[in-house]
Structures are given as C-alpha cells and as structure tokens.
Amino acid sequence: MKSKSEGFRTYEYLIFTVIMLCTVLFCVCLGSVSLNVGDTFKVIWNTIWGLPAPEGLSRSIIITVRLPRVICVALVGASLSLCGGSMQGLLRNPLADGSTLGVSSGASLGAVISIAFGVSIPSLPFAGTVVMAMLFAFISLIVILSLAYKLDFSLSTNTIILIGVIFSMFANSITSLIITFSSDKVKQITFWTMGSLSGTSYANALTLAASLLVFGTVILSLTRELNAFAVGEDNARHVGVNVKRVKMAVLICVSGLIGVCVSVGGTIGFVGLVIPHMMRMVVGPNHKRLLPASLFAGAIFLMLADLASRVILNPLELPIGVVTSFIGSVVFVFIFYRSRKGG
Amino acid sequence: MLYVNNLTVSFGPITIVDNVSFYVNEGEWLMIVGPNGAGKSTVVSAISQGISYSGSISYKGSDVKKMKPHQLARCIGVLSQNHNVSYSFSVEEIVRLGRYSYSPGIFSSSGDEDEEKINHALEVTGMLPFVKQSVLTLSGGELQRTFLAQLFAQDPSLLILDEPTNHLDLVYQKQVFELITAWIAQTGRSVISVVHDLSLARAYGTRALLMHQGKSVALGDIEDVLTRDNLKAVYSLDVHEWMRDMLSQWED
C-alpha cells in the first residue's frame, strides 16, 4: 500500500474550473436577449484587462446585468453546497442542511427585521442586512444548541435536527408576520421563501466572495475532523478530535455563510442538500474530495438553475428556489430510491 | 496505570454509577461484569470523557479530564459496541482516522510511521484484503475488525472495549479476543472491557470488577471475583455453574 494523497489532484481541479468557467460564459450569453458566445467572451476578456471593448447594448447587458448576477449565483451555489456538505458530515446525517438546522430561516428573519425596522450601518446600507442576517443565524444556532443541550447533553443528531425544524417554523412565522405589516419596505414573501438573485451587483458578489474566502477556508481546513464526525461523533472523540471545538467552528462558519447568502438571495433550498449527495456518489464520502467537488458543482448547478429561471417563462422570471426545489426534489427522490435499494 | 476514584455519574436525580473506585496496572485485562443496568457502560464512557462525572480518573498520574483530546487519544483508545456508519467510507479511510491524534494540525500529512502502523493494523486484523472496500458492504464481524484495526493504528497503551463482541458469533468473538490477547502481550499495555458473557470474562480476564445497580460489589483477581456467592448475590441465579460449563468453548 503506497502513501497517496486523499485530496483532489491538480487535473481534477482543472477540469472543474474549466467546466465552471464555461458555465459562466454560457449563462452570460443566454437570457431574454441571446448573445453570441465569441462576442461575449471578447467583451468580458477586454473588460477584465482594461482593453477597449465594443460599446453598445450587449456590453451593458453583459457587464452591468448578467455578469454580476452569474457571479453571485455561482458564489451562493458554492457556499450553500459547502455548508450542506459539511453539515451532513458533522451531523452524520445526509438530510442535514442549513434549512434543516433552522439557520436559513433565522437568517431570513434577521434580514427582514433589519429592512422593516431600518437597522443599518451608516454609509454601508447593505451591510446592516448582512450583519443582521449573520447575527440572527448565530443567534438561531445558539438557541438551537442550548435547547439541544438542555434536552440531550451529547448534542445528538436527531435532537439538533428536530429542534432546527421547529425553530425554522417559528422563525418563518415571525418573518411572515413582519412582512405582512411592512409590505411597503420588505420584498415579497416569495423572495425570502423561494429566493431570487435578480438585480444583484458586484458589491453583492464581493461580499459573497469575502465570506466564502474566510468561512470556506476554515471549513476546508477541517476536512479530516469532518471525516471523523461522518463516521460517528463518538468515534471522532475516541480518535482524539476536539469534538466541541470543531463542531462550534463548523456551525459558526456555516451560519456565517448562510447569513450572507440569505441576505443577498433569500432562502434558496435544496442546493446544499442535493449537491453533496450527488458528489458523494461521484468522488466518495471523504471530505477532502467531497467538499471541493461540492464547491464547484454547487456553483455550476445554481448557475444552470438560475439560467432556467430566466429563460423558461421568458420574459417572465421565476424565483430561483422554484427551479432548485423542482430539480432538487426529483433528484433527491431518485437518490433516496437508489440508496434504499442498496445501490 | 489508570486510577478511578469515587466515580459517580448521575442523570438528574438518578444515580447511574455510585462511588466506584478501581485501578488497572500494566499488563492487566480488567473485566467489568454485572447484569444489565449495573452502570458498566457508563463507567467506560466516563473514562473516555463521553459524559460528565464527579470523582477523579487519572492516567499515569495526570487527570484525564484535563488532557487535550488528542493527548487522551494517544493514551486511551475505545472500541464501541455499535458502529452505524452512514457513508460509504473505505476500510482504509476508517483505519487512517486512527492516526488523527498524532497530527491534529491543519497542514500535517501522514508520514512513514503512520503508513507503517496502518498497514500493520490492517494486517494483524486480517483486513488487508478489504482495504478499498466500502464499510457498508462488510459483515458485522468485518466491521468490528475494521474498527479494531483503527484502534491498533491509534496505538494507545490502554484499550477500552465496551462489549466488543456483542453481535458477533462465537468464531468472531474468539478472533477478536485472541487479537486483543496478542496486543496486550506487548509491554506497557492494558485493557478494560465490559463483557456480558461471564465465561468470556473468566477465560481472558486477569482481574474483574463486579458491578450491581451502580455500585461496585467486588474487585480483584478474576477467580476471586467470579465466585459462586458473588455471582448469586448479583444475578440471583446460579450463573456460576453455567459459566463453568461454557468456559471450555474458549479453550483450544
């Protein structure tokens, strides 16, 4: 038996990166107005390097509307899949996700409160929502964990998920209540329950990228610990993992990422549930491979889902969550069926 | 090697383990025996820091409670009775986790010593042919040997086994206990195991702790603890005769 790297090899990263960049290009080209791939590439390329680009309608569509949106979608997809993958490992439960833990709903509530009651940070109007969403994601986490601790000292998987679901219903009801009373300020309820990334800007993309860089790095540095958790929490403790610290670190990073994603794009379900599932079939359950694969696949999947939401009922646009939930539930049933059959 | 003093574990008003004290020396195999609900498994989860307790547990003079998780794992290894692995990890990936405590940092990678220990553990447990196989496809006995291999790769000096052969048939039970006997024969090692089968305890143990309703009833050499009177007091049945009858099955 030779010593070998368990992680991704360079060529695997390369393949994923190429597919992802092709998807970006593809998604920028298509939409209510379809553009030529070559022209689009030229516009993006020239703009990146500061070269004179052909002026016109296509340039403004590409650079000011579609590109920031596609980038945001990719970053949200990557963040949500990373969250889902790490939670499924941490809780040893293939059904775990930001939504099952109640973090997404908590983040939504925070964002809605900040908009409805005008909580903002001077000179950074958007930051108020992000900070509130992250804060509420953290608060939900603490509430869920302390409740779980009260009921079950060992913080067992089932307890956390059960409390997460209950908390999520509670948070959703308050969110709906606030939206009903201040419908003039807050976006429609469908945005918070189904999500949308239309009208996102480069500033949004920057926020998403920064959070993914910070929290994603922490999560990706804990792949061995997540492997141990995925085998079993007791087993993780027995082999010497600092169980409580790792759990805290992962949950904090997850709520940070979800907080940012929710404040930018609302609650987009199923991405974090389905993508790691699919990737586990392709690259196996080892988080050294699973998490990087989920990162790329999540980005690609959500970009395609967003494209579908833009073109299916052109010129009308569907909330992205409608597409992800539709595709997601079909794929999920398929996966579930296969795993039950012993595949 | 390991000293447990006045160990008490309570869940709310219920006391599961009541003021139990015992010790294990190097080279000894301590069997914790007693009927269901005696608090045996609770004692071992307290030693591995799985539950909160009062009293003191010290390993070679240092308080186990104050040890860092990876330091503790290098000294004390645990084999549980059940493994519900829900993802298709390979045998090798499971065994490799046993080396975690030797390089808990972020950037550490496995060295030659790790590979050697992993290989050796796979070999002695007979799991080498299954290296790449998914643990979901293994039988109960193979799965238990996989986790035993993980434990051997972890290479602690004290093994804690919580009913390690609970669901295994006689052949596998014997296999696992023979492997542990070979392991303990090396210097500086000892084993604590919770065992239901008294004949198994009698055949492999050197000392025993007999528990009943959370209290320690007897502690000492195996033949002094598993006496007719002691067992009758605890089980209120003549299990002693039965134990003697079954003893021969463990002998070659």
Side-chain angles (χ1 to χ4, degrees), chain B residues 34-107:
Chain B
N36 286 331
K40 308 182 295 292
S41 293
T42 312
V43 169
V44 296
S45 19
I47 298 172
S48 66
Q49 305 299 297
I51 47 171
S52 58
Y53 59 87
S54 64
S56 79
I57 300 174
S58 66
Y59 174 86
K60 289 186 177 167
S62 45
D63 188 350
V64 168
K65 223 178 218 173
K66 291 186 183 126
M67 286 165 99
K68 292 211 169 78
H70 69 269
Q71 290 172 329
L72 182 68
R74 289 186 207 179
C75 304
I76 301 175
V78 184
L79 183 66
S80 325
Q81 46 179 313
N82 291 317
H83 307 283
N84 296 313
V85 184
S86 37
Y87 301 116
S88 62
F89 284 101
S90 70
V91 168
E92 185 194 343
E93 282 167 334
I94 300 271
V95 177
R96 192 170 286 278
L97 282 173
R99 298 302 295 170
Y100 175 80
S101 59
Y102 294 88
S103 49
I106 293 170
F107 299 106

Side-chain angles (χ1 to χ4, degrees), chain A residues 1-4 6 87-89 91-95 153-154 221-222 224-232 234-243 245-246 280 284-289, chain B residues 45 48-52 69-70 73 76-80 83-89 92-94 96-101 103-106 108 110 115 118-119 122 131-132 147 150 154:
Chain A
M1 192 172 68
K2 269 198 3 252
S3 163
K4 60 155 184 79
E6 293 176 89
M87 302 269 260
Q88 286 158 24
L91 303 176
R92 207 172 60 86
N93 187 328
L95 297 173
F153 177 76
S154 64
S221 73
L222 294 171
R224 280 199 309 159
E225 286 80 356
L226 284 170
N227 281 343
F229 267 98
V231 171
D234 282 338
N235 194 252
R237 184 162 45 79
H238 295 157
V239 299
V241 174
N242 193 331
V243 171
R245 196 155 77 189
V246 171
R280 210 172 276 121
N286 191 329
H287 288 79
K288 289 190 178 190
R289 299 168 59 76
Chain B
S45 19
S48 66
Q49 305 299 297
I51 47 171
S52 58
H70 69 269
I76 301 175
V78 184
L79 183 66
S80 325
H83 307 283
N84 296 313
V85 184
S86 37
Y87 301 116
S88 62
F89 284 101
E92 185 194 343
E93 282 167 334
I94 300 271
R96 192 170 286 278
L97 282 173
R99 298 302 295 170
Y100 175 80
S101 59
S103 49
I106 293 170
S108 49
S110 58
E115 299 304 325
I118 291 166
N119 235 333
L122 286 165
V131 176
K132 298 287 170 207
F147 280 92
Q150 184 195 66
Q154 189 178 330

